[in-house]
Amino acid sequence: MKSRRHFAIREILGSGRISTQEELCEALREKGFDITQATVSRDIRELRLVKIPADNGYYYAWPEARVPVQMQRTRRIFSDSVVSMDSSENIIVIKTLPGAAQSIGSLIDSLDNPQILGTVAGDDTILVVIKSKRMVKQVQSYFEGFMKP
């Protein structure tokens, strides 16, 4: 039930601006969820939603909407340092320039992607452990997106 509700919240935020918890409750009720404000508050915390300033107040958004500069930095670091990527089962192996793996590993950890359990970095190789092996290709595509101009 919670995962369906979280998916519905993603859809709601993707289709319009929601400024208050009450607006989010109402949008969820319209989708058939019997929801309380306390539950929505917990969902907002669990999903790590942030409030973004707008012309007439604030609205809820995903954390990455708050930090376009960090995303530019992430793209620059990935494109400058990552040499190749491959995967096996639930692990993505990233090859970097010598000496760059630990900083890229730390950067990956800071992305707070719920599919990534963690990283282990050496000098030029990073092992990225993915929660589910069916999500490996999606996460690998996510990383490849950082390498495109």
Side-chain angles (χ1 to χ4, degrees):
M1 183 69 158
K2 183 195 302 189
S3 61
R4 284 184 43 233
R5 192 174 61 247
H6 284 189
F7 184 78
I9 290 171
R10 289 179 192 277
E11 286 181 328
I12 291 165
L13 294 181
S15 65
R17 290 190 172 179
I18 299 292
S19 299
T20 66
Q21 290 182 7
E22 190 52 47
E23 285 178 24
L24 186 53
C25 282
E26 187 57 37
L28 285 166
R29 286 184 190 116
E30 288 173 9
K31 288 189 170 282
F33 291 91
D34 184 21
I35 193 89
T36 66
Q37 185 272 330
T39 301
V40 166
S41 180
R42 279 191 299 276
D43 288 342
I44 288 169
R45 189 171 49 253
E46 288 173 8
L47 291 169
R48 297 182 180 173
L49 299 180
V50 295
K51 279 207 158 186
I52 304 292
D55 296 335
N56 55 349
Y58 290 86
Y59 66 94
Y60 284 104
W62 302 107
E64 56 269 13
R66 187 175 180 195
V67 288
V69 172
Q70 181 182 359
M71 295 313 277
Q72 290 171 356
R73 178 179 169 268
T74 301
R75 282 188 171 93
R76 189 183 74 250
I77 292 171
F78 259 76
S79 63
D80 289 350
S81 304
V82 174
V83 176
S84 67
M85 276 187 277
D86 204 352
S87 63
S88 177
E89 296 292 325
N90 70 322
I91 296 175
I92 297 173
V93 178
I94 300 175
K95 293 290 195 173
T96 70
L97 296 173
Q102 290 185 7
S103 60
I104 299 283
S106 178
L107 179 66
I108 291 169
D109 289 336
S110 75
L111 294 173
D112 287 329
N113 184 313
Q115 297 304 322
I116 300 171
L117 293 176
T119 61
V120 177
D123 183 57
D124 64 356
T125 305
I126 306 162
L127 301 179
V128 184
V129 181
I130 308 303
K131 191 178 283 191
S132 165
K133 67 181 177 181
R134 72 178 196 284
M135 296 303 293
V136 167
K137 293 297 177 199
Q138 180 183 350
V139 174
Q140 193 167 342
S141 293
Y142 173 68
F143 291 154
E144 288 166 355
F146 293 141
M147 296 169 62
K148 296 176 184 169

